[in-house]
Amino acid sequence: MALRITVIGTGYLGATHAAAMAELGFEVLGLDVVPEKIEMLSAGKVPMYEPGLEEMLRKHVAGIEGSTGRLRFTTSWEEIGAFGDVHFVCVNTPQKHGEYACDMSYVDSAFESLAPRLTRPALVVGKSTVPVGSAARLAARLAELAPAGTDVELAWNPEFLREGFAVNDTLHPDRIVVGVESERAEKLLREVYAGPVGEGSPFVVTDFPTAELVKTSANSFLATKISFINAMAEVCEAADGDVVKLAEALGHDERIGKKFLRAGVGFGGGCLPKDIRAFMARAGELGADQALTFLREVDSINMRRRGHMVELAREAVGGGSFLGTRVAVLGATFKPDSDDVRDSPALNVAGQIHLQGGQVTVFDPKGMDNARRLFPTLGYADTALDAVRGADVVLHLTEWREFRELDVVALGEVAARRTVLDGRNALDPLVWREAGWTYRAMGRPTA
Ligand code: UDX
Protein backbone atom coordinates (compact mmCIF):
# COMPACT_ATOMS: atom_id res chain seq x y z
CA MET A 1 0.00 0.00 0.00
CA ALA A 2 1.19 3.52 -0.76
CA LEU A 3 2.67 5.42 2.16
CA ARG A 4 0.43 7.83 3.99
CA ILE A 5 2.07 11.09 4.81
CA THR A 6 1.31 13.84 7.28
CA VAL A 7 2.72 17.36 7.28
CA ILE A 8 2.76 19.25 10.57
CA GLY A 9 2.82 23.03 10.22
CA THR A 10 1.41 24.55 7.03
CA GLY A 11 3.49 27.70 6.58
CA TYR A 12 5.75 28.26 3.60
CA LEU A 13 7.58 25.00 3.98
CA GLY A 14 4.68 22.83 5.14
CA ALA A 15 2.03 23.99 2.68
CA THR A 16 4.45 23.49 -0.20
CA HIS A 17 5.66 20.13 1.07
CA ALA A 18 2.10 18.85 1.62
CA ALA A 19 1.00 19.80 -1.90
CA ALA A 20 4.21 18.38 -3.39
CA MET A 21 3.76 15.05 -1.59
CA ALA A 22 0.22 14.82 -3.04
CA GLU A 23 1.66 15.71 -6.45
CA LEU A 24 4.12 12.81 -6.05
CA GLY A 25 1.13 10.49 -5.57
CA PHE A 26 0.85 10.07 -1.79
CA GLU A 27 -2.22 10.42 0.42
CA VAL A 28 -1.48 13.47 2.55
CA LEU A 29 -2.96 14.95 5.73
CA GLY A 30 -1.74 18.38 6.81
CA LEU A 31 -2.08 19.84 10.31
CA ASP A 32 -1.83 23.32 11.68
CA VAL A 33 -2.73 24.67 15.09
CA VAL A 34 -4.25 27.80 13.48
CA PRO A 35 -7.82 26.87 12.40
CA GLU A 36 -8.04 29.80 9.95
CA LYS A 37 -5.08 28.43 7.98
CA ILE A 38 -6.69 25.01 7.81
CA GLU A 39 -9.94 26.55 6.58
CA MET A 40 -8.14 28.46 3.84
CA LEU A 41 -6.05 25.51 2.69
CA SER A 42 -9.07 23.19 2.72
CA ALA A 43 -10.78 25.67 0.40
CA GLY A 44 -7.76 25.50 -1.93
CA LYS A 45 -6.35 28.90 -0.97
CA VAL A 46 -2.71 29.57 -0.07
CA PRO A 47 -2.15 32.09 2.75
CA MET A 48 0.91 33.62 1.02
CA TYR A 49 2.04 34.52 -2.49
CA GLU A 50 4.11 31.76 -4.05
CA PRO A 51 4.05 31.22 -7.82
CA GLY A 52 2.39 27.92 -8.82
CA LEU A 53 1.59 26.79 -5.29
CA GLU A 54 -2.14 27.47 -5.33
CA GLU A 55 -2.53 25.61 -8.62
CA MET A 56 -0.72 22.56 -7.23
CA LEU A 57 -2.78 22.69 -4.04
CA ARG A 58 -6.10 22.93 -5.89
CA LYS A 59 -5.12 20.00 -8.04
CA HIS A 60 -5.14 17.75 -4.97
CA VAL A 61 -7.28 19.19 -2.14
CA ALA A 62 -10.26 16.95 -1.43
CA GLY A 63 -13.61 18.56 -2.21
CA ILE A 64 -12.33 20.76 -5.03
CA GLU A 65 -13.89 19.92 -8.37
CA GLY A 66 -11.64 17.81 -10.51
CA SER A 67 -9.01 17.33 -7.78
CA THR A 68 -7.34 14.01 -7.01
CA GLY A 69 -8.63 14.32 -3.43
CA ARG A 70 -5.29 13.09 -2.11
CA LEU A 71 -4.72 16.11 0.14
CA ARG A 72 -6.70 16.98 3.26
CA PHE A 73 -6.14 19.22 6.28
CA THR A 74 -7.04 18.93 9.94
CA THR A 75 -6.41 20.45 13.36
CA SER A 76 -6.70 17.07 15.10
CA TRP A 77 -3.55 15.38 16.43
CA GLU A 78 -5.49 12.11 16.92
CA GLU A 79 -6.27 12.02 13.21
CA ILE A 80 -2.63 12.73 12.37
CA GLY A 81 -1.37 9.95 14.65
CA ALA A 82 -3.83 7.41 13.25
CA PHE A 83 -3.23 8.40 9.61
CA GLY A 84 0.47 8.68 9.03
CA ASP A 85 3.25 6.26 8.17
CA VAL A 86 5.62 9.19 7.74
CA HIS A 87 5.16 12.47 9.63
CA PHE A 88 7.01 15.56 8.37
CA VAL A 89 7.51 18.29 10.96
CA CYS A 90 7.62 21.62 9.11
CA VAL A 91 7.02 24.24 11.80
CA ASN A 92 9.09 27.41 11.90
CA THR A 93 12.05 28.23 14.11
CA PRO A 94 12.25 32.03 14.33
CA GLN A 95 14.96 34.03 16.07
CA LYS A 96 14.37 34.34 19.80
CA HIS A 97 13.30 37.77 20.92
CA GLY A 98 16.36 39.73 22.03
CA GLU A 99 18.78 36.84 21.41
CA TYR A 100 20.66 35.25 18.52
CA ALA A 101 19.51 31.74 19.36
CA CYS A 102 16.64 30.11 17.56
CA ASP A 103 13.27 29.64 19.20
CA MET A 104 12.55 25.90 19.34
CA SER A 105 9.18 26.21 21.06
CA TYR A 106 7.10 25.35 17.95
CA VAL A 107 9.21 22.30 17.17
CA ASP A 108 9.15 21.16 20.78
CA SER A 109 5.42 21.57 21.10
CA ALA A 110 4.83 19.74 17.79
CA PHE A 111 6.81 16.76 19.11
CA GLU A 112 5.05 16.89 22.50
CA SER A 113 1.66 16.81 20.75
CA LEU A 114 2.54 14.23 18.12
CA ALA A 115 4.51 11.65 20.11
CA PRO A 116 1.73 10.49 22.51
CA ARG A 117 -0.52 9.84 19.46
CA LEU A 118 1.94 7.51 17.76
CA THR A 119 0.34 4.17 18.49
CA ARG A 120 1.56 2.39 15.37
CA PRO A 121 4.87 2.14 13.49
CA ALA A 122 5.87 5.49 12.06
CA LEU A 123 8.79 7.59 10.91
CA VAL A 124 8.90 11.17 12.15
CA VAL A 125 10.93 13.40 9.85
CA GLY A 126 12.14 16.80 10.99
CA LYS A 127 12.39 19.39 8.24
CA SER A 128 12.59 22.57 10.30
CA THR A 129 15.95 24.38 10.49
CA VAL A 130 17.22 23.59 13.99
CA PRO A 131 20.38 23.97 16.07
CA VAL A 132 22.69 20.98 15.68
CA GLY A 133 21.98 18.46 18.44
CA SER A 134 18.21 18.93 18.33
CA ALA A 135 17.52 15.70 16.45
CA ALA A 136 19.29 13.58 19.06
CA ARG A 137 17.33 15.32 21.82
CA LEU A 138 14.01 14.94 19.99
CA ALA A 139 14.67 11.26 19.22
CA ALA A 140 15.05 10.65 22.95
CA ARG A 141 11.80 12.50 23.59
CA LEU A 142 9.97 10.34 21.00
CA ALA A 143 11.29 7.19 22.66
CA GLU A 144 9.94 8.42 25.99
CA LEU A 145 6.50 9.48 24.79
CA ALA A 146 5.44 7.31 21.84
CA PRO A 147 3.15 4.40 22.82
CA ALA A 148 4.47 2.37 19.84
CA GLY A 149 7.95 2.47 21.41
CA THR A 150 10.82 1.44 19.16
CA ASP A 151 8.45 1.15 16.19
CA VAL A 152 8.63 4.93 16.06
CA GLU A 153 11.80 6.47 14.69
CA LEU A 154 13.21 9.87 13.84
CA ALA A 155 15.02 11.14 10.73
CA TRP A 156 16.26 14.62 9.85
CA ASN A 157 15.69 15.91 6.32
CA PRO A 158 16.52 19.61 5.94
CA GLU A 159 14.72 21.66 3.34
CA PHE A 160 16.48 24.01 0.93
CA LEU A 161 13.54 25.57 -0.89
CA ARG A 162 13.76 29.21 -1.94
CA GLU A 163 10.77 31.47 -1.71
CA GLY A 164 9.54 32.31 -5.19
CA PHE A 165 10.75 28.89 -6.45
CA ALA A 166 9.27 26.75 -3.68
CA VAL A 167 7.23 24.44 -5.91
CA ASN A 168 10.06 23.67 -8.29
CA ASP A 169 12.63 23.35 -5.49
CA THR A 170 10.40 20.85 -3.66
CA LEU A 171 9.51 18.71 -6.68
CA HIS A 172 12.99 18.84 -8.22
CA PRO A 173 15.41 19.39 -5.33
CA ASP A 174 19.10 19.86 -6.17
CA ARG A 175 19.84 17.37 -3.40
CA ILE A 176 17.99 15.38 -0.75
CA VAL A 177 19.79 15.10 2.57
CA VAL A 178 18.62 12.57 5.15
CA GLY A 179 20.06 12.11 8.62
CA VAL A 180 19.08 8.63 9.78
CA GLU A 181 19.96 6.09 12.45
CA SER A 182 18.66 2.95 10.75
CA GLU A 183 18.30 1.28 7.38
CA ARG A 184 14.55 1.17 7.88
CA ALA A 185 14.41 4.97 8.07
CA GLU A 186 16.60 5.35 4.99
CA LYS A 187 14.46 2.88 3.06
CA LEU A 188 11.25 4.72 3.91
CA LEU A 189 12.72 8.05 2.82
CA ARG A 190 14.00 6.54 -0.42
CA GLU A 191 10.41 5.46 -1.04
CA VAL A 192 9.07 8.95 -0.31
CA TYR A 193 11.59 10.59 -2.64
CA ALA A 194 11.65 7.87 -5.32
CA GLY A 195 10.26 10.36 -7.88
CA PRO A 196 12.91 13.10 -7.60
CA VAL A 197 15.72 10.56 -7.03
CA GLY A 198 14.60 8.75 -10.20
CA GLU A 199 14.94 12.06 -12.03
CA GLY A 200 18.48 12.45 -10.80
CA SER A 201 18.33 14.37 -7.49
CA PRO A 202 21.33 13.21 -5.42
CA PHE A 203 20.36 11.43 -2.19
CA VAL A 204 22.87 12.04 0.59
CA VAL A 205 22.65 9.87 3.71
CA THR A 206 24.25 11.18 6.90
CA ASP A 207 24.02 11.02 10.67
CA PHE A 208 21.79 13.44 12.59
CA PRO A 209 24.29 16.22 13.36
CA THR A 210 25.62 16.36 9.81
CA ALA A 211 22.12 16.60 8.34
CA GLU A 212 21.31 19.47 10.68
CA LEU A 213 24.59 21.18 9.84
CA VAL A 214 24.11 20.94 6.07
CA LYS A 215 21.27 23.41 6.25
CA THR A 216 22.90 25.99 8.51
CA SER A 217 26.22 25.79 6.72
CA ALA A 218 24.61 26.11 3.27
CA ASN A 219 22.81 29.26 4.38
CA SER A 220 26.00 30.58 6.00
CA PHE A 221 27.89 30.04 2.76
CA LEU A 222 25.24 31.86 0.73
CA ALA A 223 25.17 34.74 3.21
CA THR A 224 28.97 34.92 3.11
CA LYS A 225 28.99 35.03 -0.68
CA ILE A 226 26.52 37.93 -0.71
CA SER A 227 28.42 39.80 1.99
CA PHE A 228 31.68 39.17 0.15
CA ILE A 229 30.44 40.94 -2.96
CA ASN A 230 28.90 43.68 -0.85
CA ALA A 231 32.26 44.19 0.87
CA MET A 232 33.78 44.50 -2.63
CA ALA A 233 31.05 47.04 -3.38
CA GLU A 234 32.27 49.10 -0.43
CA VAL A 235 35.80 48.99 -1.80
CA CYS A 236 34.54 49.88 -5.28
CA GLU A 237 32.80 52.92 -3.77
CA ALA A 238 36.11 54.04 -2.26
CA ALA A 239 38.20 53.25 -5.34
CA ASP A 240 35.79 54.32 -8.10
CA GLY A 241 35.40 50.73 -9.29
CA ASP A 242 32.30 49.01 -10.65
CA VAL A 243 31.11 46.04 -8.58
CA VAL A 244 28.75 44.79 -11.29
CA LYS A 245 31.61 44.40 -13.77
CA LEU A 246 33.77 42.97 -11.00
CA ALA A 247 31.14 40.31 -10.18
CA GLU A 248 30.74 39.48 -13.86
CA ALA A 249 34.46 38.93 -14.22
CA LEU A 250 34.74 36.92 -10.99
CA GLY A 251 31.76 34.78 -11.98
CA HIS A 252 33.49 33.44 -15.08
CA ASP A 253 35.83 31.56 -12.78
CA GLU A 254 33.95 28.28 -12.39
CA ARG A 255 35.36 27.80 -8.92
CA ILE A 256 33.61 31.01 -7.87
CA GLY A 257 30.49 30.96 -10.05
CA LYS A 258 28.25 33.88 -10.86
CA LYS A 259 25.27 33.09 -8.58
CA PHE A 260 24.74 34.99 -5.33
CA LEU A 261 27.19 37.68 -6.38
CA ARG A 262 24.61 40.43 -6.79
CA ALA A 263 25.68 43.43 -4.75
CA GLY A 264 23.05 45.77 -3.37
CA VAL A 265 21.13 46.39 -0.17
CA GLY A 266 21.97 42.88 1.01
CA PHE A 267 20.12 39.82 2.18
CA GLY A 268 17.00 39.62 4.32
CA GLY A 269 14.05 37.30 4.73
CA GLY A 270 12.98 34.70 7.22
CA CYS A 271 16.03 32.45 6.76
CA LEU A 272 19.53 33.76 6.06
CA PRO A 273 19.73 36.46 8.78
CA LYS A 274 18.27 34.36 11.59
CA ASP A 275 20.03 31.17 10.51
CA ILE A 276 23.52 32.64 10.65
CA ARG A 277 22.76 34.15 14.06
CA ALA A 278 21.35 30.91 15.45
CA PHE A 279 24.39 29.09 14.07
CA MET A 280 26.76 31.44 15.91
CA ALA A 281 24.75 31.04 19.11
CA ARG A 282 24.82 27.24 18.85
CA ALA A 283 28.53 27.13 18.07
CA GLY A 284 29.05 29.21 21.22
CA GLU A 285 27.14 26.67 23.30
CA LEU A 286 29.31 23.90 21.84
CA GLY A 287 32.52 25.77 22.62
CA ALA A 288 33.24 26.27 18.90
CA ASP A 289 32.38 29.98 18.71
CA GLN A 290 35.77 30.91 17.25
CA ALA A 291 34.98 28.86 14.16
CA LEU A 292 32.08 31.16 13.31
CA THR A 293 33.25 34.62 14.36
CA PHE A 294 33.51 35.45 10.65
CA LEU A 295 29.72 35.23 10.45
CA ARG A 296 29.51 38.23 12.75
CA GLU A 297 31.38 40.18 10.06
CA VAL A 298 29.10 38.74 7.35
CA ASP A 299 26.11 39.99 9.36
CA SER A 300 27.54 43.43 9.94
CA ILE A 301 28.61 43.95 6.31
CA ASN A 302 25.03 43.05 5.43
CA MET A 303 23.43 45.40 7.94
CA ARG A 304 25.76 48.25 6.82
CA ARG A 305 24.24 48.04 3.33
CA ARG A 306 20.96 49.38 4.64
CA GLY A 307 22.72 52.34 6.27
CA HIS A 308 24.69 53.03 3.05
CA MET A 309 21.46 53.19 1.09
CA VAL A 310 20.02 55.69 3.55
CA GLU A 311 23.17 57.83 3.17
CA LEU A 312 23.00 57.69 -0.64
CA ALA A 313 19.39 58.86 -0.41
CA ARG A 314 20.39 61.64 1.97
CA GLU A 315 23.07 62.83 -0.47
CA ALA A 316 20.51 62.74 -3.26
CA VAL A 317 18.14 65.07 -1.41
CA GLY A 318 20.84 67.61 -0.62
CA GLY A 319 22.99 65.98 2.02
CA GLY A 320 21.29 67.32 5.11
CA SER A 321 18.10 66.28 6.79
CA PHE A 322 15.27 64.28 5.27
CA LEU A 323 12.75 66.69 6.79
CA GLY A 324 10.38 68.02 4.15
CA THR A 325 11.66 65.64 1.45
CA ARG A 326 9.64 63.04 -0.41
CA VAL A 327 11.10 59.63 -1.03
CA ALA A 328 9.60 56.97 -3.30
CA VAL A 329 10.46 53.37 -2.43
CA LEU A 330 9.95 50.71 -5.09
CA GLY A 331 9.81 47.33 -3.37
CA ALA A 332 8.91 46.17 0.13
CA THR A 333 9.50 42.42 0.06
CA PHE A 334 12.91 40.90 0.88
CA LYS A 335 13.14 39.62 -2.69
CA PRO A 336 10.94 39.53 -5.81
CA ASP A 337 8.23 36.90 -6.46
CA SER A 338 7.35 36.73 -2.79
CA ASP A 339 5.04 38.68 -0.49
CA ASP A 340 7.36 38.10 2.47
CA VAL A 341 8.57 41.25 4.22
CA ARG A 342 10.36 39.57 7.13
CA ASP A 343 13.64 41.37 7.79
CA SER A 344 13.33 43.04 4.40
CA PRO A 345 16.17 45.44 3.55
CA ALA A 346 13.70 47.50 1.47
CA LEU A 347 11.30 48.12 4.35
CA ASN A 348 14.18 48.66 6.75
CA VAL A 349 15.59 51.46 4.54
CA ALA A 350 12.10 52.93 4.07
CA GLY A 351 11.57 52.84 7.83
CA GLN A 352 14.92 54.50 8.65
CA ILE A 353 14.23 57.39 6.26
CA HIS A 354 10.70 57.78 7.60
CA LEU A 355 11.99 57.87 11.18
CA GLN A 356 14.40 60.63 10.16
CA GLY A 357 11.53 62.80 8.94
CA GLY A 358 11.34 61.90 5.24
CA GLN A 359 7.92 61.40 3.66
CA VAL A 360 8.21 57.90 2.33
CA THR A 361 5.78 56.32 -0.13
CA VAL A 362 6.16 52.61 -0.81
CA PHE A 363 4.88 50.50 -3.67
CA ASP A 364 5.33 46.73 -4.03
CA PRO A 365 3.56 44.39 -6.47
CA LYS A 366 2.68 41.73 -3.86
CA GLY A 367 3.93 42.82 -0.45
CA MET A 368 1.61 45.74 0.33
CA ASP A 369 -0.65 44.03 2.89
CA ASN A 370 2.22 42.51 4.83
CA ALA A 371 4.21 45.76 4.68
CA ARG A 372 1.26 47.80 5.96
CA ARG A 373 0.79 45.39 8.83
CA LEU A 374 4.48 45.55 9.81
CA PHE A 375 4.99 49.27 9.19
CA PRO A 376 1.60 51.02 9.27
CA THR A 377 3.06 54.52 9.57
CA LEU A 378 4.76 54.50 6.14
CA GLY A 379 2.93 55.95 3.14
CA TYR A 380 1.69 53.46 0.55
CA ALA A 381 0.66 53.97 -3.08
CA ASP A 382 -1.36 51.70 -5.39
CA THR A 383 1.06 51.95 -8.29
CA ALA A 384 4.73 52.71 -8.89
CA LEU A 385 3.66 55.88 -10.70
CA ASP A 386 1.71 57.10 -7.67
CA ALA A 387 4.61 56.32 -5.36
CA VAL A 388 6.94 58.39 -7.54
CA ARG A 389 4.54 61.36 -7.87
CA GLY A 390 6.21 64.40 -6.29
CA ALA A 391 9.27 62.41 -5.14
CA ASP A 392 12.67 64.06 -4.70
CA VAL A 393 14.38 60.70 -5.06
CA VAL A 394 13.33 57.21 -6.16
CA LEU A 395 14.82 54.17 -4.40
CA HIS A 396 14.71 50.82 -6.20
CA LEU A 397 15.06 48.27 -3.38
CA THR A 398 13.48 44.99 -4.56
CA GLU A 399 14.20 43.81 -8.09
CA TRP A 400 10.69 42.96 -9.32
CA ARG A 401 10.55 42.44 -13.07
CA GLU A 402 7.85 45.09 -13.42
CA PHE A 403 10.26 47.73 -12.08
CA ARG A 404 12.63 46.97 -14.94
CA GLU A 405 9.77 47.48 -17.37
CA LEU A 406 8.53 50.81 -15.97
CA ASP A 407 7.80 53.68 -18.33
CA VAL A 408 10.62 55.88 -17.06
CA VAL A 409 9.54 58.84 -19.22
CA ALA A 410 6.11 58.85 -17.55
CA LEU A 411 7.76 58.52 -14.12
CA GLY A 412 10.01 61.47 -14.95
CA GLU A 413 6.97 63.62 -15.69
CA VAL A 414 5.48 63.11 -12.22
CA ALA A 415 8.67 63.07 -10.09
CA ALA A 416 9.76 66.34 -8.46
CA ARG A 417 13.37 65.46 -9.22
CA ARG A 418 14.68 62.80 -11.56
CA THR A 419 17.09 60.91 -9.33
CA VAL A 420 16.95 57.14 -9.07
CA LEU A 421 19.07 55.05 -6.68
CA ASP A 422 19.32 51.41 -7.65
CA GLY A 423 19.73 49.33 -4.50
CA ARG A 424 19.74 46.05 -6.45
CA ASN A 425 21.90 46.84 -9.45
CA ALA A 426 19.08 45.58 -11.61
CA LEU A 427 17.85 48.58 -13.61
CA ASP A 428 19.32 49.58 -16.96
CA PRO A 429 21.22 52.86 -16.38
CA LEU A 430 21.05 53.79 -20.09
CA VAL A 431 17.26 53.62 -20.22
CA TRP A 432 16.90 55.88 -17.20
CA ARG A 433 19.58 58.34 -18.30
CA GLU A 434 18.08 58.67 -21.75
CA ALA A 435 14.86 59.80 -20.07
CA GLY A 436 16.75 62.49 -18.16
CA TRP A 437 17.26 60.67 -14.86
CA THR A 438 20.36 60.78 -12.70
CA TYR A 439 21.09 57.10 -12.07
CA ARG A 440 23.23 55.92 -9.15
CA ALA A 441 23.76 52.35 -7.99
CA MET A 442 25.49 50.77 -5.00
CA GLY A 443 29.15 49.91 -5.51
CA ARG A 444 29.48 51.62 -8.89
CA PRO A 445 29.94 55.35 -8.22
CA THR A 446 31.04 56.15 -11.76
CA ALA A 447 29.02 53.66 -13.82
C1 UDX B 1 17.25 30.94 1.43
C2 UDX B 1 18.10 29.83 0.79
O1 UDX B 1 18.48 30.18 -0.52
C3 UDX B 1 17.31 28.53 0.78
O2 UDX B 1 18.08 27.48 0.26
C4 UDX B 1 16.89 28.22 2.21
O3 UDX B 1 16.12 27.06 2.24
C5 UDX B 1 16.12 29.38 2.80
O4 UDX B 1 16.87 30.57 2.71
P1 UDX B 1 15.28 32.53 0.58
O5 UDX B 1 15.28 33.12 1.95
O6 UDX B 1 13.98 32.18 -0.07
O7 UDX B 1 16.13 31.17 0.59
O8 UDX B 1 16.00 33.56 -0.37
P2 UDX B 1 17.32 33.66 -1.28
O9 UDX B 1 16.94 33.52 -2.69
O10 UDX B 1 18.40 32.80 -0.76
O11 UDX B 1 17.70 35.20 -1.04
C6 UDX B 1 18.01 35.66 0.27
C7 UDX B 1 18.30 37.13 0.27
O12 UDX B 1 19.56 37.38 -0.35
C8 UDX B 1 17.29 38.00 -0.46
O13 UDX B 1 17.04 39.17 0.32
C9 UDX B 1 18.01 38.36 -1.75
O14 UDX B 1 17.56 39.58 -2.26
C10 UDX B 1 19.44 38.43 -1.29
N1 UDX B 1 20.44 38.21 -2.35
C11 UDX B 1 20.49 37.02 -3.01
C12 UDX B 1 21.35 39.22 -2.67
O15 UDX B 1 21.33 40.30 -2.07
N2 UDX B 1 22.29 38.99 -3.64
C13 UDX B 1 22.37 37.82 -4.31
O16 UDX B 1 23.24 37.69 -5.16
C14 UDX B 1 21.43 36.81 -4.00
Side-chain angles (χ1 to χ4, degrees):
M1 217 179 72
L3 290 175
R4 296 200 301 182
I5 287 177
T6 85
V7 175
I8 292 153
T10 59
Y12 233 102
L13 169 56
T16 313
H17 192 67
M21 286 294 122
E23 178 79 14
L24 292 177
F26 300 104
E27 294 287 325
V28 184
L29 184 61
L31 174 140
D32 205 286
V33 294
V34 182
E36 293 76 29
K37 269 198 202 168
I38 291 306
E39 256 170 56
M40 272 189 88
L41 290 163
S42 301
K45 293 201 192 84
V46 175
M48 63 265 174
Y49 173 73
E50 179 62 39
L53 181 53
E54 195 153 288
E55 289 81 342
M56 186 164 71
L57 187 83
R58 296 183 67 85
K59 209 169 135 190
H60 301 294
V61 171
I64 291 193
E65 214 188 294
S67 82
T68 64
R70 288 201 287 264
L71 177 55
R72 291 182 304 113
F73 294 94
T74 182
T75 52
S76 157
W77 288 103
E78 267 73 29
E79 243 188 283
I80 287 286
F83 181 87
D85 302 307
V86 180
H87 303 276
F88 283 99
V89 178
C90 297
V91 297
N92 63 336
T93 50
Q95 190 176 334
K96 262 191 197 164
H97 196 69
E99 279 181 53
Y100 270 13
C102 114
D103 175 358
M104 285 290 287
S105 60
Y106 302 114
V107 175
D108 288 340
S109 92
F111 274 79
E112 296 298 311
S113 303
L114 176 65
R117 272 89 176 192
L118 298 175
T119 51
R120 61 191 196 81
L123 181 67
V124 178
V125 186
K127 270 200 155 304
S128 309
T129 302
V130 296
V132 59
S134 302
R137 176 173 66 79
L138 293 164
R141 202 64 194 131
L142 278 182
E144 264 167 50
L145 296 176
T150 51
D151 281 343
V152 169
E153 255 196 277
L154 183 69
W156 215 264
N157 168 220
E159 178 57 55
F160 305 101
L161 68 80
R162 297 161 298 168
E163 293 187 17
F165 301 91
V167 171
N168 186 66
D169 286 353
T170 308
L171 291 174
H172 312 285
D174 51 15
R175 79 288 213 189
I176 296 157
V177 177
V178 299
V180 292
E181 288 196 321
S182 76
E183 276 177 24
R184 183 175 61 168
E186 180 185 336
K187 199 172 148 275
L188 270 173
L189 284 166
R190 282 193 185 276
E191 204 176 326
V192 169
Y193 290 116
V197 171
E199 281 181 3
S201 292
F203 191 84
V204 184
V205 182
T206 75
D207 50 29
F208 283 167
T210 309
E212 296 168 307
L213 284 169
V214 173
K215 175 61 190 262
T216 35
S217 52
N219 276 355
S220 298
F221 189 86
L222 295 172
T224 303
K225 208 170 173 195
I226 300 169
S227 277
F228 172 83
I229 201 65
N230 280 329
M232 295 307 111
E234 282 187 28
V235 179
C236 283
E237 285 283 344
D240 282 345
D242 179 340
V243 75
V244 173
K245 277 285 161 202
L246 178 72
E248 183 192 330
L250 289 174
H252 286 302
D253 184 331
E254 274 180 20
R255 295 166 302 173
I256 298 175
K258 64 181 178 3
K259 290 183 182 160
F260 272 65
L261 277 187
R262 275 179 291 112
V265 282
F267 59 81
C271 291
L272 297 193
K274 67 110 178 152
D275 284 354
I276 62 171
R277 292 173 193 154
F279 199 18
M280 283 186 268
R282 184 62 186 142
E285 288 169 5
L286 294 169
D289 40 345
Q290 245 192 345
L292 298 189
T293 44
F294 76 97
L295 286 178
R296 214 181 303 219
E297 202 51 46
V298 166
D299 200 4
S300 63
I301 291 168
N302 190 55
M303 297 310 280
R304 274 208 300 275
R305 302 311 286 163
R306 304 172 181 193
H308 278 314
M309 192 66 208
V310 174
E311 290 321 308
L312 279 181
R314 188 194 310 285
E315 267 169 43
V317 298
S321 143
F322 280 110
L323 273 177
T325 64
R326 297 170 76 118
V327 179
V329 169
L330 301 182
T333 54
F334 83 104
K335 69 177 202 181
D337 295 318
S338 163
D339 64 357
D340 196 341
V341 299
R342 283 177 295 171
D343 202 357
S344 165
L347 266 194
N348 182 298
V349 168
Q352 287 193 48
I353 295 176
H354 165 74
L355 293 172
Q356 293 180 39
Q359 290 212 29
V360 180
T361 309
V362 180
F363 170 73
D364 188 278
K366 295 284 177 200
M368 298 295 270
D369 290 345
N370 287 339
R372 268 201 197 93
R373 226 169 288 143
L374 192 72
F375 228 127
T377 51
L378 291 175
Y380 292 94
D382 292 334
T383 61
L385 192 73
D386 281 342
V388 170
R389 206 177 292 285
D392 297 301
V393 61
V394 177
L395 274 50
H396 173 247
L397 300 182
T398 313
E399 69 278 31
W400 287 92
R401 170 195 278 272
E402 73 171 74
F403 295 151
R404 289 197 289 280
E405 294 168 352
L406 284 170
D407 178 347
V408 299
V409 175
L411 290 187
E413 279 161 11
V414 300
R417 271 196 271 170
R418 292 181 199 172
T419 304
V420 62
L421 302 179
D422 188 357
R424 291 293 185 176
N425 277 309
L427 303 175
D428 184 345
L430 286 179
V431 170
W432 288 77
R433 284 187 184 132
E434 265 168 26
W437 288 81
T438 303
Y439 172 93
R440 172 78 158 88
M442 298 184 88
R444 42 191 335 208
T446 55

